[in-house]
């Protein structure tokens, strides 16, 4: 199975400051269809996950432009340009290139 | 508005069975693969199973293969997960998700399954 490794696992951030989460996969996530099926999800406390970014860098509808995704191959990053209070929660990367699909362990973002 | 509403969770003894349902609305259900993802208490996410638009293809994570069955009824806009031979490690919130791995864009609120004696 493809192992997804996120870092850091805990991310204390001051409001208005940037934040960055790394996600590394144990195999290349380039699919035979030419796409890289790497997504990012955000789960607020007590809520279900919400997709933020799909195929590495595409923001979902309604997702603020302070969120951005980048990367290629096995190395991916989610960046928040200026953290707001509503950004707290756990962020997960997920790969859907290789079956079984797998998630990272999650990165818990909190406000300092 | 896309809505996914899960039901059927509860407390069940080890070795028992449970059937989860997901009622979908706000989109053309038959046009989408559908998925179940679970989350054990305080833990991360695990992809459980997904099913093709017409139900002709089904995929399961190894830990549930042979015990769980995913199915759908496109006439009723509903997704199901039949869970047999339940174990303590199956205790989790089970989410219904629109799409397969390439999509997975909308998630329900989840239903809690607790396997305990």
């Amino acid at each position: 199975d493809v192992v997804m490794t996120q870092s850091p696992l805990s991310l204390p951030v001051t409001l208005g400051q940037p934040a960055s989460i790394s996600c590394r996969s144990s195999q290349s996530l380039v699919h035979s269809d030419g796409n890289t099926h790497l997504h990012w999800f955000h789960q607020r406390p007590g809520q279900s996950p919400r997709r933020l970014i799909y195929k590495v860098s595409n923001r979902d509808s309604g997702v603020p432009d302070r969120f951005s995704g980048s990367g290629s191959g096995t190395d991916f990053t989610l960046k928040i340009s200026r953290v707001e209070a509503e950004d707290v929660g756990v962020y997960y990367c997920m790969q859907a290139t290789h079956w079984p699909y797998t998630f990272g362990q999650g990165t818990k973002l909190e406000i300092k | 508005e896309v809505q996914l509403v899960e039901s059927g969770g509860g407390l069940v003894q080890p070795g028992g069975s449970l059937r989860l349902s997901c009622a979908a609305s706000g989109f053309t259900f038959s046009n989408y693969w559908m998925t179940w993802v679970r989350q054990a208490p305080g833990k991360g996410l695990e992809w459980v199973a997904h099913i093709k638009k017409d139900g002709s293809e089904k995929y399961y994570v190894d830990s549930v293969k042979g015990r769980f069955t995913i199915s759908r009824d496109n006439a009723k806009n509903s997704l199901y997960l039949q869970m047999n031979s339940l174990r303590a490690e199956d205790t989790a919130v089970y989410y219904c998700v629109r799409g397969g791995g390439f999509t997975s864009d909308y998630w329900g609120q989840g239903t809690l399954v607790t396997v305990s004696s």
Side-chain angles (χ1 to χ4, degrees):
Chain A
D1 297 2
V2 175
V3 177
M4 304 296 288
T5 304
Q6 290 182 228
S7 63
L9 298 185
S10 178
L11 185 55
V13 185
T14 301
L15 286 173
Q17 292 301 302
S20 180
I21 301 170
S22 169
C23 175
R24 290 196 166 99
S25 57
S26 59
Q27 299 177 35
S28 172
L29 298 186
V30 179
H31 192 272
S32 56
D33 67 4
N35 293 305
T36 299
H37 297 286
L38 183 284
H39 312 317
W40 289 95
F41 296 88
H42 176 215
Q43 186 175 33
R44 293 191 177 106
Q47 295 187 16
S48 54
R50 172 198 182 194
R51 198 180 70 178
L52 297 176
I53 302 281
Y54 62 97
K55 287 191 289 184
V56 180
S57 60
N58 297 277
R59 252 190 327 270
D60 270 280
S61 175
V63 174
D65 61 7
R66 64 178 183 275
F67 288 90
S68 64
S70 63
S72 63
T74 62
D75 207 341
F76 305 93
T77 302
L78 176 71
K79 291 183 178 176
I80 309 173
S81 58
R82 296 172 306 279
V83 169
E84 297 189 6
E86 64 180 17
D87 299 337
V88 298
V90 182
Y91 291 81
Y92 295 93
C93 60
M94 180 206 126
Q95 68 83 20
T97 294
H98 305 283
W99 179 249
Y101 305 149
T102 47
F103 293 88
Q105 321 97 299
T107 294
K108 186 173 184 178
L109 186 149
E110 61 179 24
I111 304 300
K112 268 188 204 173
Chain B
E1 179 195 3
V2 172
Q3 287 200 353
L4 299 166
V5 180
E6 303 93 336
S7 60
L11 175 63
V12 61
Q13 291 189 341
S17 298
L18 216 52
R19 188 194 195 209
L20 305 183
S21 299
C22 170
S25 61
F27 65 101
T28 305
F29 183 72
S30 58
N31 285 353
Y32 288 84
W33 289 66
M34 293 295 295
T35 294
W36 289 100
V37 174
R38 68 183 178 182
Q39 185 172 35
K43 302 295 184 182
L45 300 167
E46 181 183 33
W47 195 279
V48 175
H50 59 283
I51 185 169
K52 197 174 181 178
K53 303 172 192 181
D54 61 359
S56 61
E57 294 180 30
K58 304 173 185 183
Y59 298 84
Y60 302 92
V61 69
D62 280 352
S63 58
V64 308
K65 210 173 287 183
R67 301 188 299 123
F68 289 13
T69 302
I70 189 171
S71 62
R72 64 191 297 161
D73 185 334
N74 286 346
K76 294 182 177 180
N77 292 336
S78 293
L79 177 72
Y80 307 101
L81 187 67
Q82 177 67 44
M83 304 186 296
N84 299 329
S85 303
L86 282 161
R87 306 166 180 166
E89 54 266 34
D90 296 318
T91 294
V93 173
Y94 285 74
Y95 294 103
C96 170
V97 181
R98 187 178 81 163
F102 293 2
T103 313
S104 52
D105 55 359
Y106 284 91
W107 296 52
Q109 85 288 349
T111 187
L112 176 62
V113 172
T114 303
V115 184
S116 174
S117 54

